[in-house]
Amino acid sequence: MKTIKRIIYSIIILSLLAACAPAPTEAPSAPAQTEAPAAPAQTEAPQAQEPATQAPAEKKLTYCYITPGPDTWYKRDVEGFQYGASLDGVEVIVVNSDYDVEKELANIDFCITQGVDGISVFSFNENGARIAAQKGKEAGIPVVATDSVGSVAAAGQEIVAEIDFDWTAMGESYAQWMADNYPGEDFVIITGNFESIPCQKINEAMKRKSEELGKNKLLDIRDADYNPNKAVEVAQDLLQSGLDFKIMFVMDEDMAAAVIRMLKDKGVLNNPIKVIAQNGSPAGIPLVKAGELKYTISSSPGWEGYIAYLALHNYVIGKSTKVNQHIFLPIMPVTEENIDDPMQVVPWEIVPDVYEQLTQKYFPELVAYRQ
């Protein structure tokens, strides 16, 4: 019995020793082969996770518009520029120089330091537009100028474009109209601002053409600073001056409307003083229809501002590489036959259909980029 117990005991001891023995040194057998998990289905990664393959976001453009003063003409010009910008998602910064040379220079510097993509400058003097073009060129910012009458390029300074009405042709048109309708009656001019190049061009052309025709003589030119109240004061001074004139040219219809009211009160409107003016504006057209304003020429600042925008934008986005362009908008004398035709007497306020039709007719290359 003891022998059997010893044998059983030995077997237990040997089993315990085997369990505690170190693992064998030979390589373990390979694990049983199992099927690899299926690879996930290939799906296109979301755009946000792969910026390298994404089309770059289009840069939002910002243009700066430098306006010379607060009067209605300039306000409408700004609105025309802003209208064009709104169609292309362009931001516009507007700064007003208030007819102050130093403020205009500060505004030019402001636009440059803002790092805008383009500048449109409407200066009330020749130097302002030239300086803006020069500083813009140095900063790599394209510039267009409104009503600078080609003076920037003529001074040898590169500029993208100068946008104008043909002010010389306008002055000649007024002289011809006076010669045809009121020969022998002399005239005076109440101009907007002696520093304004368009005013200078109209005044010079009226004087020169009148002398050439020999039918009407210019007796005096006065400056009213585009201020209706001052225009009335100037007109009263002219009436009291002793000059024998019968025609009064007033540079814009806001001033002309005020002068006409004064002349009516004095009983001298068309008896004998005839008033002619410039613009074809909301203030002037009713006066033409009433026979109180004898002659005017349509020149819409809203459309002019829109064309200035298009000239600048085409250059900025690379659709045009032209520089030193001189873009003339057509001048359109107002007659009884066309006075209600917006394609002839162009609205000052924004009328998209009219502006687009006119631009397609006269400047189709400026809107080709939208097609």
Side-chain angles (χ1 to χ4, degrees):
M1 187 64 150
K2 288 182 180 180
T3 302
I4 293 172
K5 288 181 178 180
R6 287 191 191 101
I7 292 170
I8 293 170
Y9 182 76
S10 296
I11 290 170
I12 294 170
I13 294 298
L14 290 171
S15 298
L16 290 171
L17 290 172
C20 294
T25 58
E26 63 180 324
S29 60
Q33 291 295 316
T34 59
E35 187 177 353
Q42 293 297 315
T43 58
E44 185 175 345
Q47 289 292 92
Q49 294 178 6
E50 293 190 11
T53 63
Q54 217 177 355
E58 194 170 319
K59 178 181 181 289
K60 184 176 178 64
L61 298 173
T62 300
Y63 299 155
C64 195
Y65 189 110
I66 303 170
T67 184
D71 73 71
T72 307
W73 173 276
Y74 303 129
K75 178 177 180 291
R76 296 300 191 188
D77 211 291
V78 170
E79 290 171 352
F81 191 93
Q82 291 173 319
Y83 161 69
S86 71
L87 299 180
D88 295 317
V90 175
E91 181 181 350
V92 180
I93 300 170
V94 179
V95 288
N96 197 320
S97 301
D98 295 313
Y99 304 115
D100 183 280
V101 172
E102 294 302 319
K103 190 171 182 179
E104 183 173 77
L105 294 175
N107 284 337
I108 293 168
D109 289 338
F110 169 79
C111 292
I112 298 292
T113 57
Q114 290 297 302
V116 296
D117 300 288
I119 295 173
S120 183
V121 57
F122 196 144
S123 178
F124 55 93
N125 66 77
E126 183 175 338
N127 286 333
R130 180 183 56 77
I131 292 170
Q134 177 186 343
K135 291 192 173 185
K137 177 71 174 176
E138 292 169 355
I141 300 174
V143 175
V144 299
T146 300
D147 285 4
S148 56
V149 198
S151 61
V152 178
Q157 179 60 55
E158 182 178 300
I159 191 168
V160 171
E162 296 181 76
I163 317 299
D164 281 298
F165 293 97
D166 192 337
W167 304 104
T168 295
M170 278 195 202
E172 292 173 349
S173 178
Y174 291 118
Q176 188 67 59
W177 180 87
M178 289 187 292
D180 291 343
N181 292 278
Y182 296 99
E185 297 190 5
D186 295 334
F187 67 101
V188 295
I189 293 175
I190 300 178
T191 196
N193 185 310
F194 280 135
E195 292 184 89
S196 164
I197 308 173
C199 290
Q200 294 170 11
K201 293 296 183 181
I202 284 181
N203 298 344
E204 291 165 2
M206 285 179 71
K207 182 176 186 296
R208 184 181 64 253
K209 185 67 173 178
S210 294
E211 290 173 350
E212 175 188 317
L213 295 171
K215 303 291 185 179
N216 311 89
K217 183 179 179 181
L218 173 62
L219 299 181
D220 200 355
I221 302 179
R222 304 282 182 94
D223 184 349
D225 291 328
Y226 286 108
N227 184 313
N229 292 329
K230 185 172 180 180
V232 169
E233 294 174 3
V234 171
Q236 289 173 327
D237 287 345
L238 287 166
L239 289 175
Q240 297 167 7
S241 68
L243 294 172
D244 185 17
F245 64 89
K246 293 182 174 61
I247 303 172
M248 183 177 287
F249 171 78
V250 186
M251 181 59 188
D252 77 17
E253 289 162 3
D254 286 340
M255 293 192 297
V259 169
I260 285 171
R261 286 193 296 271
M262 181 272 292
L263 295 175
K264 284 175 67 177
D265 289 343
K266 291 184 176 297
V268 295
L269 179 65
N270 295 328
N271 182 35
I273 308 299
K274 276 78 66 176
V275 178
I276 62 177
Q278 193 268 132
N279 287 159
S281 74
I285 295 304
L287 297 174
V288 175
K289 290 182 176 182
E292 295 175 345
L293 179 61
K294 286 296 184 181
Y295 184 65
T296 191
I297 292 176
S298 172
S299 50
S300 165
W303 187 33
E304 182 182 45
Y306 180 43
I307 297 302
Y309 167 79
L310 291 173
L312 178 61
H313 191 63
N314 270 273
Y315 188 89
V316 171
I317 64 176
K319 295 299 182 180
S320 171
T321 58
K322 295 178 182 178
V323 296
N324 293 335
Q325 302 172 80
H326 200 176
I327 300 174
F328 284 107
L329 278 70
I331 62 169
M332 303 174 182
V334 177
T335 66
E336 292 181 1
E337 291 74 23
N338 70 14
I339 197 166
D340 292 317
D341 181 356
M343 296 292 287
Q344 294 291 319
V345 183
V346 184
W348 278 33
E349 67 280 4
I350 309 303
V351 182
D353 288 348
V354 173
Y355 281 24
E356 297 304 327
Q357 289 179 50
L358 284 167
T359 304
Q360 284 285 358
K361 179 179 179 180
Y362 291 100
F363 309 104
E365 70 282 0
L366 293 181
V367 287
Y369 74 94
R370 291 181 180 152
Q371 300 170 357

